[in-house]
Amino acid sequence: MSAYDKSNVFARILRGEIPAKIIYEDDYALAFPDIAPQAPVHVLIIPKGPYTSFDDFSTSATDAEIIGFNRAVVAVAHKLGVHESGYRVLSNVGVHSGQEVPHYHVHLCGGAPLGPLLSKS
């Protein structure tokens, strides 16, 4: 993946240039609903730092950022009440995965049985 693009939609949300319904925020992460939900609960959780993907985040973020972000994901699951019934955390990396925004993010989905992760084609 190329260099971080400061004009991507998530960077603009972080700067307050694009409004978002904030579900959770701390020093490391911001969570808001997906605009095209695929489950009853479908939120995006993004780190506050300029990372393009899981690869970039995992190799470039500080230990505090990685721990803080992962704890934020769990906090969001608890806040939305899916921690007991179960939820899925998914991150797309690169073109073949379908990553659309070049800012690392995870999809947290739950609220109903989700079925298989991938369809067989």
Side-chain angles (χ1 to χ4, degrees), residues 21-121:
K21 179 185 174 192
I22 306 304
I23 293 171
Y24 177 88
E25 182 173 13
D26 66 14
D27 291 341
Y28 302 102
L30 185 73
F32 50 89
D34 191 292
I35 61 169
Q38 303 295 306
V41 171
H42 186 170
V43 298
L44 301 177
I45 307 165
I46 63 175
K48 290 194 169 177
Y51 303 104
T52 58
S53 67
F54 178 72
D55 283 353
D56 183 24
F57 182 72
S58 297
T59 59
S60 302
T62 66
D63 290 348
E65 287 174 303
I66 292 169
I67 292 166
F69 182 78
N70 284 316
R71 287 186 174 156
V73 172
V74 172
V76 171
H78 280 254
K79 183 172 185 171
L80 297 176
V82 296
H83 62 287
E84 289 188 18
S85 60
Y87 58 95
R88 180 173 293 157
V89 177
L90 175 76
S91 179
N92 297 314
V93 179
V95 177
H96 282 213
S97 73
Q99 183 178 359
E100 295 176 5
V101 179
H103 183 106
Y104 174 52
H105 59 285
V106 298
H107 297 256
L108 186 146
C109 299
L114 298 176
L117 180 59
L118 300 171
S119 61
K120 296 176 185 175
S121 357

